[in-house]
Amino acid sequence: CTVQVFLGSSLLTFDGTIVEAFGATANSNGRLHRSALDRVEVGETRNEGYLQLHTIWRTSPVMVMFPKDQKPSAEQFAAQVNQATG
């Protein structure tokens, strides 16, 4: 079962193995195998929310920015990915 969510101008998907982000900027695009993923983090700045993919190599190649009102959707997506990769 594939999980997908639109956050800001980005589409994120997770099929149980691969997390993909399709966005309008270089930092909001990427594809990671779950074995390379350490965790998905959701947070917020003063003006907007963010979802960030962290790898086992301590890098964060993907960061998606979104309006704060989408934070519940971002948290649900992150929880599903973190549970599957945890």
Side-chain angles (χ1 to χ4, degrees):
C1 176
T2 299
V3 179
Q4 67 179 27
V5 64
F6 279 96
L7 297 174
S9 62
S10 299
L11 169 65
L12 291 101
T13 67
F14 179 61
D15 66 3
T17 303
I18 303 291
V19 177
E20 292 183 287
F22 305 93
T25 66
N27 289 343
S28 63
N29 286 287
R31 186 172 197 260
L32 286 171
H33 190 276
R34 72 185 212 170
S35 63
L37 191 62
D38 179 51
R39 72 187 187 285
V40 179
E41 174 189 2
V42 175
E44 58 185 59
T45 66
R46 189 166 29 146
N47 299 319
E48 58 193 343
Y50 67 86
L51 182 142
Q52 191 168 15
L53 304 180
H54 295 275
T55 70
I56 59 174
W57 303 289
R58 303 196 187 280
T59 61
S60 301
V62 175
M63 178 181 272
V64 171
M65 307 304 288
F66 55 86
K68 285 186 176 183
D69 65 346
Q70 290 185 312
K71 190 174 181 186
S73 296
E75 290 173 330
Q76 183 179 12
F77 180 84
Q80 290 174 303
V81 175
N82 286 332
Q83 181 180 6
T85 60

